[in-house]
Amino acid sequence: MKVSKEKDSNKTFWDPMKNSGVLGLGGNNNAQNRALPKLMLLLIFFVSSTYVVYTLKLLTSSKACKDDIFRYHDSKMSAFVQENGGNLTLSSYSSQNESFSEENISRIDFYPNGKTGLEHIVFGIAASSKLWSKRKNYIKIWWKHDLKMRGIVWLDSKVKTFKNESRLLPELRISEDTSKFAYKNKQGHRSAIRISRIVSETLRLGVEGVRWFVMGDDDTVFVTDNLVRVLNKYDHNQYYYIGSSSESHLQNIYFSYGMAYGGGGFAISYPLANSLVKMQDECIQRYPLLYGSDDRMQACMAELGVPLTREVGFHQYDVYGNLFGLLAAHPVAPLVSLHHLDVVEPIFPNVTRVEALQRLTIPMKLDSAGLMQQSICYDKDKSWTISVSWGFAIQVFRGVLSPREVEMPSRTFLNWYRRADYTAYSFNTRPVMRNICQKPFVFYMSKAKMNHSAEHTVSHYTRHRVPHPVCKWKMADPAELDLIEVHKKPDPRLWDRSPRRNCCRILSSTKKKMVVDVGLCSEGEISEITSQ
C-alpha cells in the first residue's frame, strides 16, 4: 500500500507539469518554442549583469578589507588590538564578524610571519636601589636598545641616573606601595610582595603588542636570542608559565619543584598575565606566610590551575664557588639565563665578573644557539678524551672516559646549603677526578671570529696554566698543548630539531696545537669510545 501511494503521488505531481507546458507557461507547443529563446536571453543578461556588479564591488573593497584585518585601519579593530595587547579572543571578536568560527579565530595572527620576536617580549626586572650602581652593569651586557627591546627595571626607591646610560638600560620605575599587604614570614623580607607584583604592574602600563612577560633579577643575564627560540615553541595565545627549578634539592623541597625561580627568570604568556592581574592582589593577601616573590607567584598560578612548563635553560644557580662543572656540561638545551652572578666566581679566570660575561658575548653573537653546547670526541693516537663546551672552555683528559661520564657535571661548585653534600643536588654530578693523571687540562676561549670565506666560526682556546701533579702514565702529555682551534658552522635552526648533542672531530693534532670541528652529527656518527 505504501508503494502504490508513492506512485500515485508522483503521478499527481508530474501530470499537471506535463499538461501545462514547460515552466508552467501554458499554451501549445509553438507558443512554447517562441517564448523559450527570449527567456534564455533574459536569463543570460541577468546572470552577466550580476557577475559584473559583483566583480566591481570586490575589486573596490578588497584593498580596504586587507587593510582592516592586517593593518588595523578599521577603528573598532584597532581599539580591540590595543586593549588586548594583540591577543585575539572569540568573545571580543565574534560580534564584529559572525562568519568566523571559533577554530579560525583562535589561529588568527596579526603579525606578518607569526614568529615571536624580541619586540613581542616585555621584561620586568626586579632591582634594589642599594645594589643598583653595581648590578646595572649586568643588565648592560644583554640589553639591546637598538633592537627595540622593551622592559622596565622596578626599584624600591629612586636612584642616581646618567644621561649616557639611557640607551644602555631599560626604563626605570618605582614600584607601587605594598604596605597594605600582610607579610608574616620571619626569615624573609617584605620586598618579596613588591617583586611578585612586577608582571601585573607592567601589564597595567598598557604596552601594546605584548605576547610574553619575562621576569628576572638585576643580577640575571639573559641570552635573548635563545629566549626567543624557547618561547617560539609555545602558543602565546594560551596560558603558559615557563621557567625552571633550583639546582638545590633542598631549595625545591622547602619551596616547590613546581615553582619557577625568579632569579633564573620565567615567562608568562599575555592571556595568563591578563588573568593574573585580575586576582593577584587578593591572592597575595591569602599567603602572608610565604617567603619570597616567586613562591607567591606560583601560589597564584596554582589557584589559576596553571602548572610550570619546564625549560632547563633558565638557570637559577643556587650554588657557590665555580660554575665550571655546570657550564662545561650544559644540558642539551639552549642557554637562556645565568643568575647569582655576584655569588659565584667569574666564569673566566683572571678577570672580573663583568669582564668575563662580556667575553661570553663574542660567541653569543656568532652562534647563540650553540653557546655552551657540549660535544665529546677522542684523539685515538694520543688516547685523549676531548670535551668541548663551545664558546666557553675545552677539557682534555688523559685516557678514555665514556660520554655518559663526561656529560655529567663535575663538582667544582658547592651546595647552596653549605652543610649539604652532593646528594642534595636535583641532578646527577660526578666528583672531581681523584687520579692525578686524569685531572683535566682546561683551555678557555680567548677569541672568536667568523671566517666568511669558509662560512664557519673560528674560536681559539688557550690553556689555563695552573700547576699539574706529575703523572707517570706513559702516554702523550696534554701539558705540551698550548692552543685548541675549533671550527663550527653557525646553526640558528639547531633547536628546531630534536635535542641531540653535537659531534666533534679531530682534524689535526700536533704537539702544540689541535684543530677540532664541531657541528651536527652525520648519519651513523657517534661519540665512540676508542683506545690505542
Side-chain angles (χ1 to χ4, degrees):
M1 295 295 293
K2 183 176 181 181
V3 175
S4 62
K5 285 185 177 180
E6 288 180 354
K7 289 182 178 179
D8 292 342
S9 63
N10 288 338
K11 183 177 180 181
T12 305
F13 176 79
W14 285 109
D15 281 349
M17 294 288 290
K18 182 177 179 181
N19 296 332
S20 61
V22 178
L23 298 177
L25 294 176
N28 57 29
N29 291 338
N30 291 333
Q32 177 181 334
N33 293 337
R34 288 195 301 270
L36 185 59
K38 294 180 180 179
L39 181 62
M40 294 301 296
L41 288 173
L42 288 172
L43 181 62
I44 292 171
F45 177 76
F46 175 76
V47 172
S48 300
S49 301
T50 304
Y51 178 78
V52 171
V53 172
Y54 177 79
T55 303
L56 291 174
K57 184 177 180 181
L58 182 64
L59 290 173
T60 56
S61 62
S62 61
K63 184 177 184 300
C65 181
K66 182 178 180 180
D67 288 344
D68 288 345
I69 296 178
F70 296 103
R71 300 185 184 180
Y72 318 133
H73 284 194
D74 182 81
S75 59
K76 291 183 179 180
M77 181 64 74
S78 178
F80 169 82
V81 172
Q82 292 177 6
E83 181 182 353
N84 291 276
N87 292 282
L88 192 59
T89 58
L90 176 62
S91 59
S92 301
Y93 191 78
S94 58
S95 61
Q96 300 176 34
N97 195 330
E98 297 291 342
S99 65
F100 279 86
S101 67
E102 181 174 355
E103 180 181 1
N104 290 334
I105 290 173
S106 65
R107 294 178 182 176
I108 288 178
D109 197 321
F110 288 120
Y111 297 96
N113 57 10
K115 288 284 188 178
T116 291
L118 277 175
E119 67 274 17
H120 303 132
I121 301 171
V122 175
F123 292 87
I125 309 300
S128 166
S129 57
K130 293 181 180 179
L131 300 172
W132 177 243
S133 61
K134 178 181 179 181
R135 290 189 171 180
K136 66 182 179 181
N137 294 313
Y138 294 129
I139 301 175
K140 290 178 183 178
I141 291 170
W142 61 272
W143 188 253
K144 301 174 183 176
H145 185 275
D146 294 339
L147 297 182
K148 298 181 179 180
M149 287 179 64
R150 299 184 293 176
I152 296 172
V153 175
W154 293 93
L155 292 151
D156 49 355
S157 60
K158 290 184 178 181
V159 295
K160 188 175 182 180
T161 58
F162 301 90
K163 290 183 179 180
N164 61 346
E165 291 182 334
S166 60
R167 296 181 61 84
L168 303 176
L169 294 166
E171 177 187 354
L172 306 184
R173 283 181 176 264
I174 308 301
S175 298
E176 295 176 2
D177 179 36
T178 58
S179 58
K180 66 178 182 179
F181 296 96
Y183 186 86
K184 299 181 180 179
N185 190 293
K186 296 181 179 179
Q187 296 178 325
H189 193 276
R190 66 174 299 110
S191 61
I193 297 175
R194 174 183 75 85
I195 296 172
S196 67
R197 299 177 75 249
I198 283 178
V199 171
S200 294
E201 289 190 39
T202 305
L203 184 144
R204 281 197 288 266
L205 294 177
V207 186
E208 297 180 8
V210 183
R211 294 185 180 187
W212 297 94
F213 292 94
V214 174
M215 176 77 179
D217 284 356
D218 52 2
D219 62 338
T220 303
V221 168
F222 286 99
V223 182
T224 53
D225 289 344
N226 285 339
L227 173 64
V228 170
R229 287 186 176 98
V230 167
L231 295 183
N232 265 303
K233 293 166 54 178
Y234 304 97
D235 182 359
H236 61 276
N237 294 306
Q238 305 297 322
Y239 281 24
Y240 277 109
Y241 167 51
I242 303 171
S244 189
S245 53
S246 173
E247 291 74 18
S248 169
H249 178 53
L250 296 179
Q251 283 279 86
N252 293 323
I253 289 177
Y254 293 153
F255 297 103
S256 173
Y257 266 103
M259 181 183 86
Y261 280 69
F266 59 83
I268 295 178
S269 60
Y270 180 88
L272 179 55
N274 199 33
S275 293
L276 175 69
V277 73
K278 297 173 184 177
M279 54 81 74
Q280 188 178 25
D281 284 356
E282 290 77 11
C283 174
I284 290 174
Q285 292 282 35
R286 290 191 280 272
Y287 301 98
L289 292 174
L290 293 181
Y291 174 85
S293 60
D294 31 20
D295 50 352
R296 279 176 169 75
M297 182 68 72
Q298 194 267 330
C300 297
M301 291 297 160
E303 291 194 2
L304 289 167
V306 181
L308 174 64
T309 299
R310 297 183 185 278
E311 284 288 345
V312 297
F314 290 87
H315 295 296
Q316 173 74 5
Y317 283 146
D318 281 340
V319 296
Y320 290 100
N322 196 323
L323 289 179
F324 179 84
L326 291 169
L327 297 179
H330 191 273
V332 184
L335 173 66
V336 177
S337 66
L338 305 167
H339 180 234
H340 274 150
L341 298 170
D342 277 350
V343 175
V344 297
E345 299 173 9
I347 62 173
F348 289 106
N350 306 321
V351 292
T352 66
R353 291 179 173 87
V354 172
E355 289 171 342
L357 293 165
Q358 288 172 339
R359 185 189 299 183
L360 194 65
T361 62
I362 299 171
M364 192 185 300
K365 293 175 182 177
L366 292 175
D367 186 12
S368 55
L371 185 65
M372 295 286 181
Q373 292 308 301
Q374 186 185 28
S375 55
I376 302 167
C377 54
Y378 302 91
D379 188 331
K380 183 177 180 180
D381 295 334
K382 298 178 180 179
S383 294
W384 291 348
T385 300
I386 316 296
S387 173
V388 179
S389 177
W390 189 83
F392 174 55
I394 297 176
Q395 298 177 85
V396 178
F397 300 87
R398 291 186 182 96
V400 177
L401 303 178
S402 70
R404 185 175 186 270
E405 186 174 9
V406 178
E407 71 179 7
M408 196 180 299
S410 61
R411 297 181 205 127
T412 62
F413 47 92
L414 300 173
N415 199 283
W416 192 251
Y417 295 88
R418 301 297 182 98
R419 296 182 180 180
D421 63 7
Y422 66 91
T423 62
Y425 295 122
S426 59
F427 51 92
N428 297 118
T429 62
R430 61 179 172 86
V432 176
M433 295 297 185
R434 295 181 180 179
N435 189 318
I436 59 175
C437 289
Q438 287 191 312
K439 181 179 179 181
F441 289 79
V442 179
F443 296 73
Y444 284 102
M445 191 209 70
S446 55
K447 62 180 181 180
K449 64 179 182 179
M450 183 71 187
N451 184 331
H452 294 284
S453 60
E455 296 185 340
H456 64 226
T457 63
V458 179
S459 50
H460 287 179
Y461 301 74
T462 54
R463 183 160 58 88
H464 182 43
R465 299 188 178 276
V466 293
H468 271 256
V470 177
C471 173
K472 296 182 179 180
W473 287 3
K474 293 181 180 180
M475 61 186 307
D477 188 0
E480 298 178 350
L481 192 62
D482 293 325
L483 175 68
I484 301 178
E485 181 177 292
V486 177
H487 299 173
K488 184 181 186 300
K489 186 177 182 179
D491 186 9
R493 303 297 300 275
L494 175 64
W495 302 110
D496 292 342
R497 297 180 286 270
S498 61
R500 186 183 181 185
R501 195 178 63 237
N502 277 332
C503 286
C504 75
R505 309 101 185 171
I506 309 296
L507 299 181
S508 65
S509 181
T510 64
K511 189 174 183 180
K512 295 290 185 180
K513 181 181 178 180
M514 178 186 292
V515 181
V516 178
D517 177 72
V518 170
L520 288 177
C521 300
S522 58
E523 184 67 28
E525 186 177 8
I526 63 173
S527 299
E528 184 180 3
I529 300 176
T530 59
S531 59
Q532 193 171 14

